[in-house]
Amino acid sequence: MRQIGFLVIGIFFGIVMFKSEAASWFRIYEMFKFQSFHMYGIIGSALFLGVIGIQIIKKKNLKSFFGQPLNFVPKDKSFSRYMFGGIIFGLGWALAGACPGPIYVLAGAGYWPILVVFAGAMLGTFIYGLLRKKLPH
Amino acid sequence: MNWILEPWPWYVSGPLIAFTMFLLIFMGRQFGMSSNLRTMCSMCGADKKADFFNFDWRAQQWNLLVLLGAVFGGFIAHFYLSEDPTRVAISSETIQDLNNLGFDSAGKAYLPTELFSTNVFSEPLTLLVLLIGGILIGFGARYAGGCTSGHAISGLSNLQLPSLIAVIGFFIGGLVMIHFLYPLIF
């Protein structure tokens, strides 16, 4: 039952990513050129509701659908891994015009060359795993 | 029902993305797409090469279901919920800039045909651009501990300073790529 729930959430997310055009290479390029409000509106309105919603969950101690307490794990404190990793990710996001969510969405939409980006993303993850101990975190 | 077939405006899309995040939170999970890449590396046997992949990936199966759903969602949205051809109405300035870079499909397609039509399978340089883009995405997302969904949406919604640093990094990288490297690459 829960499995079906996750699958349905994924389908919903995929449709939203495609229809919002957040999965379009063109919209990512336009965003980094500051030539449209579209992507900023999407991220900004998602964040606005996200911040308010999480505050409400914490204040009211809301429980999950299954009655369990909701824990928000704080991210580890650091600077270099977030800044360096972020810059590297940003270079790729702008070059391929897709972040990980849209990669899967575009594969489903039948844009086959996105599978090359996917293969690269798997390879990049693997390379990180190999080099992790040598990188500043 | 015509509005479904048209592109959805930001004030519909953004709240629906927040809704996706809250559904996952109330399912007891966290919204984050790039961690699936690590899971799939482990499933392929990467744990024999690096400790990083030696974890209980079976506990992440729920996220692979979200991923699988996203693939179906892309299929449904493209073939049943969009007009054909699916065009993205980017600004006229953007179209002009892209035409100057040699992207004639700007404003006429969902993705640039110069990078994402099946013709590129016979163009080694284009494939290399896509592969390098992917490597940077995969490496950077794991190094930073998350991507757009994990940091820019989930992390910032939870007011995490590390996520703010990561998102600033995303933008530095993206701006450098578009403003300085694109003219060299394309």
Side-chain angles (χ1 to χ4, degrees), chain B residues 23 98 110 153:
Chain B
L23 284 177
L98 282 169
Y110 193 86
I153 304 291

Side-chain angles (χ1 to χ4, degrees), chain B residues 93-106:
Chain B
E93 267 176 298
T94 314
I95 293 176
Q96 189 58 52
D97 289 350
L98 282 169
N99 286 347
N100 292 340
L101 280 174
F103 289 93
D104 294 329
S105 58

